Amino acid sequence: QVQLVESGGGLVQAGGSLRLSCAASGRTFSVRALGWFRQAPGKEREIVARITWSGGSPYLADSVKGRFTISKDNANNTVYLQMNSLQPEDTATYYCAALRPMTGRYDYWGQGTQVTVSS
């Protein structure tokens, strides 16, 4: 099992910034990558960013490119999502999830952290 704990959400005005953290624990060696997803009310969940533990180019959704960055601290099993130039459409619950190579799926999920951007 892998446990994921997100933190860093909150209320911010448009144009502001937030940094989300996702701390992983447990059998983290079984994880290939960590991803950030978001889900707004009435909308489907979408992937925002993904980064692998081993390195390589991270993935960022087109909607956040140039505004968000994803980074990792392998020593502390933590992944960060730096969100700049936030807009009201970024308002959502943000989830961290772990990708298992054994299944090819995001099998572990955090509890989510709310991000609200006011106009």
Side-chain angles (χ1 to χ4, degrees):
Q1 289 288 326
V2 175
Q3 293 78 42
L4 302 171
V5 178
E6 303 103 332
S7 61
L11 173 64
V12 65
Q13 288 188 332
S17 299
L18 285 172
R19 188 176 81 156
L20 305 183
S21 300
C22 173
S25 61
R27 298 170 63 88
T28 56
F29 58 86
S30 66
V31 170
R32 172 180 292 168
L34 287 186
W36 283 101
F37 292 76
R38 68 185 180 186
Q39 187 166 22
K43 294 188 176 181
E44 292 191 356
R45 185 174 59 198
E46 62 174 347
I47 187 167
V48 175
R50 180 185 64 240
I51 191 166
T52 60
W53 284 126
S54 61
S57 298
Y59 166 81
L60 288 167
D62 288 343
S63 58
V64 305
K65 279 182 182 176
R67 301 187 298 123
F68 292 11
T69 57
I70 186 170
S71 61
K72 60 185 174 70
D73 179 350
N74 286 60
N76 292 305
N77 291 329
T78 301
V79 172
Y80 304 97
L81 185 67
Q82 178 67 44
M83 306 185 295
N84 299 326
S85 301
L86 282 161
Q87 300 302 315
E89 52 265 33
D90 296 314
T91 295
T93 302
Y94 284 70
Y95 299 91
C96 176
L99 177 65
R100 292 176 67 204
M102 182 177 297
T103 62
R105 297 191 304 264
Y106 289 91
D107 287 334
Y108 304 111
W109 292 81
Q111 80 286 356
T113 185
Q114 178 66 36
V115 171
T116 303
V117 184
S118 63
S119 57

